[in-house]
């Protein structure tokens, strides 16, 4: 909410975006609802807890519908993106963001991985808000949606693979500890019988 209104106008090749046109929709669609939700949670925690799941589901479903409808409404632009450098640019952006997030994490490998995923899968809802409200070029929205979709397509299988690998490693470590524990118990038992 602070970063995008400063940086996006500087990077906009057409100069069609300005800080106010970016800040206003971000404030109205993200910061204001967040503030209201935090206020409701502070004043009525039980009520907020009951509303958390349905509002979260409504938000996720709305975002999914937005992505599907955006792709459908701009299908020609999306398909044209496959013949350009848009897709490779999005893949490179996601990979570089993952690498930067991982490298900036602390020394704990698990936290580095989490930061890598969080950095690679940025807040695309904010990007979509800015693309729809601040740019006249529909290509900006389509690129945001393509990048968000590719992010899910690339990062979801990667996170599942990392999770499976971690589970296998933990199971192997648990089995090794169990074998070591049994061996110690057997050694102790055999010494007590002599």
């Amino acid at each position: 909410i602070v970063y995008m209104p400063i940086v996006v106008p500087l990077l906009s090749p057409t100069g069609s975006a300005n800080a106010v046109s970016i800040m206003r929709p971000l404030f109205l669609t993200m910061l204001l609802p967040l503030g209201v939700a935090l206020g409701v949670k502070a004043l009525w925690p039980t009520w907020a807890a009951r509303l958390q799941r349905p509002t979260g589901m409504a938000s996720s479903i709305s975002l999914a519908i937005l992505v599907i409808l955006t792709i459908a409404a701009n299908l020609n632009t999306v398909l044209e993106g496959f013949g350009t450098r848009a897709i490779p640019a999005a893949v490179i952006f996601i990979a570089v963001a993952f690498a930067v997030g991982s490298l900036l994490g602390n020394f704990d490998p698990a936290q580095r991985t989490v930061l890598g995923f969080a950095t690679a899968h940025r807040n695309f809802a904010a990007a979509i808000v800015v693309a729809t409200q601040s740019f006249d070029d529909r290509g900006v929205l389509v690129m945001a949606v393509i990048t968000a979709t590719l992010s899910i397509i690339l990062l979801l299988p990667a996170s599942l693979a990392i999770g499976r690998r971690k589970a296998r490693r933990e199971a192997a470590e648990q089995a090794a500890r169990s074998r070591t524990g049994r061996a110690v118990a057997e050694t102790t038992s055999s010494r007590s019988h002599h």
Side-chain angles (χ1 to χ4, degrees):
I1 293 175
V2 173
Y3 177 79
M4 288 179 81
I6 295 168
V7 174
V8 171
L10 296 174
L11 298 177
S12 175
T14 62
S16 64
N18 64 56
V20 174
S21 72
I22 293 171
M23 194 177 317
R24 186 180 309 120
L26 286 175
F27 176 78
L28 293 174
T29 62
M30 301 188 89
L31 194 58
L32 184 62
L34 176 63
V36 169
L38 290 173
V40 168
K41 185 176 180 180
L43 296 173
W44 302 288
T46 305
W47 194 56
R50 275 190 244 144
L51 289 174
Q52 184 176 1
R53 184 177 171 128
T55 54
M57 285 182 74
S59 174
S60 296
I61 290 169
S62 298
L63 184 58
I65 290 170
L66 172 71
V67 168
I68 290 167
L69 292 177
T70 301
I71 291 172
N74 299 286
L75 190 57
N76 287 338
T77 308
V78 171
L79 294 175
E80 288 170 9
F82 283 99
T84 66
R85 292 180 224 143
I87 304 299
V91 171
I92 291 168
F93 172 77
I94 293 165
V96 168
F98 184 87
V100 167
S102 295
L103 292 173
L104 293 178
N106 69 15
F107 296 108
D108 180 10
Q111 289 183 1
R112 282 197 314 263
T113 302
V114 169
L115 188 57
F117 280 112
T119 306
H121 190 71
R122 301 303 307 151
N123 189 343
F124 288 109
I128 289 169
V129 167
V130 170
T132 58
Q133 300 296 315
S134 303
F135 290 93
D136 297 328
D137 181 5
R138 289 289 124 202
V140 175
L141 172 62
V142 170
M143 191 63 199
V145 170
I146 287 172
T147 305
T149 305
L150 282 172
S151 174
I152 293 167
I153 291 169
L154 296 172
L155 296 176
L156 185 61
S159 67
L160 291 172
I162 289 170
R164 281 192 213 109
R165 188 175 68 208
K166 181 181 176 188
R168 282 194 303 268
R169 186 174 54 241
E170 288 174 354
E173 289 171 0
Q174 179 64 30
R177 282 193 298 271
S178 178
R179 284 191 302 270
T180 302
R182 280 195 308 267
V184 168
E186 289 172 2
T187 304
T188 306
S189 175
S190 67
R191 285 183 186 165
S192 65
H193 289 306
H194 295 305

